[in-house]
Amino acid sequence: MQMDLQIKVAQAVHVLNHDTESCNRVAANQWLVQFQQTDAAWEIATSILTSDRQSFLTDFEVEFFAAQILKRKIQNEGYYLQSAAKDALLNALLVAAKRFSSGPPQLLTQICLALSALILRAVEHGKPIEKLFYSLQNLQSQDNGNMAVLEMLTVLPEEVIDCQASDCNISSAHRSQYGQELLSHTPMVVEFLMQQSDKRFDGGVPVQLHDRNRKILRCLLSWVRAGCFTEISQGSLAAHPLLNFVFNSLQVQSSFDVAIEVLVELVGRHEGLPQALLCRVPFLKELLLLPALTDGDEKVIGGLACLMSEIGQAAPSLIVAASPEALALADALLSCVAFPSEDWEIADSTLQFWSTLASYILGLDASIAKNKKHVEDMFFSVFSALLDALLLRAQVDESSFNDDGMVDLPDGLVQYRMNLVELLVDICQLLRSATFIQKVFFGSWGSANVPIPWKEVETKLFALNVVSEVVLQEGQAFDFSVIMQLVAVLSASRSEELKGFMHIVYRSLADVIGSYSKWISAFQTNARPLLLFLAAGISEAVSSNACASALRKICEDASALIDEPSNLEILMWIGEALEKRHLPLEDEEEVVGAISLILGSVSNKELKNNLLARLLSSSYEAIGKLIDGDNNHSLIHNPATYTQILSSATRGLYRMGTVFSHLPVPLPTNPAGDDPIFALLRVFWPMLEKLFRSEHMENGNLSTAACRALSLAIQSSVA
């Protein structure tokens, strides 16, 4: 009977994994799911893992499936097994672990996971982990048992942590007990790992390493993450043989990545380790980093960048001391930042270190100002070089942009630039804004005879925009002629020249104009070119938001310079074209608000009323089409046309509400007939009355826009 069931299991597994007919695979899966829920599954799965192989009945796929069954059943039903049954199952799994100690590795891992799950649910044993370690000692003494012990020691801490976090059946007392048991066995584990690592080194010089060394490192990593490596004292850790093993493993390609993980974890958990590892940075730089930079080995560069960043971030005071090792670390990380990788992960991994270092220097006690000035001077060249490297990596690959359709920055670059913002602000504070701006504007591209390197310009515009708050606070105004030169060049460009990446340049320049609008708009000669530049940019999807925002800021900061006739005409041209541009509502609100602000400051009341009427003429027309009684019935029965007119009316209402919100509140002493708000209300109110009585108000967007316009009209007309 047992053999028949075992044959069925083997056949079902083979059908599930290899049958070409989907219906057969579905049927096999359903049968296996039902089988897992039976009591017989315990015995069959155990037999498959412990019996000698019999033709096709027991191969890797069937054995792997059996190990998975036991792991799941132990996790779900292990608490309900009798003590004798648990002991028998423990012995069987140990036999299976011994049997598959030489592989396949995935199968051994599953068996060890099942073992760990069983131990953690054997609450009837006073110290279940103690019992497991006793069993592992027996296993270790057998031939080929060490690999099984190594795998078991790797998964056990992970399972303890996972079980503590997710299994509600384990009491807090037992969770605490498991952690203490792990801690108490750390010296034994350390000794075992040292024995295993010694077999792979000759006099501290690494020889050919195989999968065994990765397993040792993975096991060590597991125990470090479980917080169990604290048994080694801080004083002895730096010279500990296991640390030397990990450090030497960096020199072997197959174990490099795991060794980096172990060291990063250790740095974060042991206060004394950054000092010890900092002393080894020159060695790492010369032996590993420089060859990797030459060969373009991103795995090694990225791993070392991560490790060195963690060392410096854990102890910025060591870096600020500017020892030869600290300066070597800073120089090595500068090389990592500047490395021309296809993505931004390597440079990005160092940003937290640089931010921590910059914040530490900026936060030095002002009472020791002389020392702070010395530190700033010492690291001035470092952060100056860092700025160059960061801006180089933040540049856009122009070839990745298509001239047709919507364009934008790659997601990786967008994220990298977001992570750069805080650091660039700190660098600007360290270097001072005058130096920062000089470095940004430095170059020969300002000359009329030199082609403009647009990707360099766009990146520097991004940086200039990011640090605007610091620059404005320090009050170090700079020569905006370069900005106005770029405005002139882009404004004079033909439409076919402003494609692809140039849309990004346009947007970045608009961002800078908005950020520094108070300074740029202080010159009367700048007003018209800026308005024309922003007017053109508003019509492009990529730059519309930046240009709309910049227009609002310019109008807020320079209303007295813009309300001359030629500038007013530009604003009216922008406003009258809104109906055709279909901007996002938030952009349209920025534009209408900016225009309304300027029109509200026009002293000639007749001119002001005429301009407001021109601005809102398209809104009146759109609402009028909707509420026209003669066309109402035909509109509703023409869905496409009705939807278009409904949308236009909704936008018209939003524009009217925005105009009301930006006009000055009328003074009680002024005659009502002379105020532009009341002039608008005389046109708006009858239309609004008809609209509120119409069936169109059933549309949610329209009703929201109408109520908003009404509310803003009332607020603006009450003194």
Side-chain angles (χ1 to χ4, degrees), residues 414-475:
V414 171
Q415 186 61 50
Y416 174 64
R417 286 190 173 188
M418 288 176 59
N419 296 339
L420 266 185
V421 169
E422 182 181 350
L423 177 56
L424 287 176
V425 170
D426 288 341
I427 293 174
C428 185
Q429 291 177 312
L430 284 170
L431 301 182
R432 302 292 184 267
S433 61
T435 302
F436 189 98
I437 292 170
Q438 182 182 10
K439 286 183 67 66
V440 168
F441 281 138
F442 180 77
S444 59
W445 56 268
S447 171
N449 299 323
V450 178
I452 299 177
W454 286 112
K455 67 177 184 179
E456 177 186 338
V457 169
E458 190 277 332
T459 306
K460 291 185 174 181
L461 289 172
F462 155 74
L464 191 60
N465 181 55
V466 163
V467 302
S468 60
E469 188 174 338
V470 176
V471 176
L472 293 171
Q473 285 178 349
E474 293 189 4

Side-chain angles (χ1 to χ4, degrees), residues 65-83:
F65 177 74
Q68 285 184 313
I69 287 180
L70 287 180
K71 184 187 70 172
R72 291 170 187 158
K73 289 187 77 67
I74 290 170
Q75 290 173 337
N76 297 328
E77 308 170 33
Y79 292 106
Y80 310 113
L81 289 175
Q82 296 296 318
S83 180

Side-chain angles (χ1 to χ4, degrees), residues 322-383:
S323 65
E325 294 80 9
L327 294 178
L329 183 142
D331 184 66
L333 285 176
L334 281 174
S335 301
C336 294
V337 173
F339 177 72
S341 173
E342 290 187 2
D343 57 36
W344 296 268
E345 288 185 12
I346 293 175
D348 200 51
S349 69
T350 71
L351 297 186
Q352 191 58 51
F353 158 73
W354 294 115
S355 292
T356 300
L357 180 60
S359 298
Y360 187 90
I361 295 173
L362 290 170
L364 287 174
D365 195 340
S367 63
I368 51 173
K370 183 177 180 180
N371 182 55
K372 181 177 181 179
K373 180 67 166 57
H374 172 73
V375 172
E376 290 179 349
D377 291 344
M378 181 73 70
F379 282 91
F380 183 91
S381 60
V382 171
F383 281 99

Side-chain angles (χ1 to χ4, degrees), residues 251-306:
Q251 303 169 55
V252 182
Q253 185 176 11
S254 63
S255 57
F256 175 83
D257 55 340
V258 190
I260 287 288
E261 286 190 76
V262 174
L263 289 172
V264 168
E265 286 286 340
L266 286 172
V267 166
R269 295 175 184 273
H270 291 265
E271 294 181 2
L273 197 56
Q275 173 72 69
L277 292 181
L278 185 60
C279 295
R280 302 196 186 196
V281 164
F283 173 77
L284 289 175
K285 179 182 175 184
E286 295 297 325
L287 185 68
L288 296 178
L289 180 60
L290 293 182
L293 290 170
T294 301
D295 298 338
D297 189 338
E298 296 195 18
K299 175 183 175 182
V300 173
I301 298 169
L304 292 175
C306 181

Side-chain angles (χ1 to χ4, degrees), residues 579-613:
E579 184 65 31
K580 298 178 181 178
R581 284 178 172 165
H582 301 291
L583 300 178
L585 278 178
E586 59 270 22
D587 294 351
E588 191 167 287
E589 186 172 352
E590 292 269 51
V591 173
V592 175
I595 298 172
S596 302
L597 192 66
I598 298 300
L599 296 186
S601 67
V602 173
S603 56
N604 186 312
K605 293 182 179 179
E606 181 180 357
L607 176 61
K608 179 190 297 186
N609 289 338
N610 289 338
L611 293 175
L612 286 170

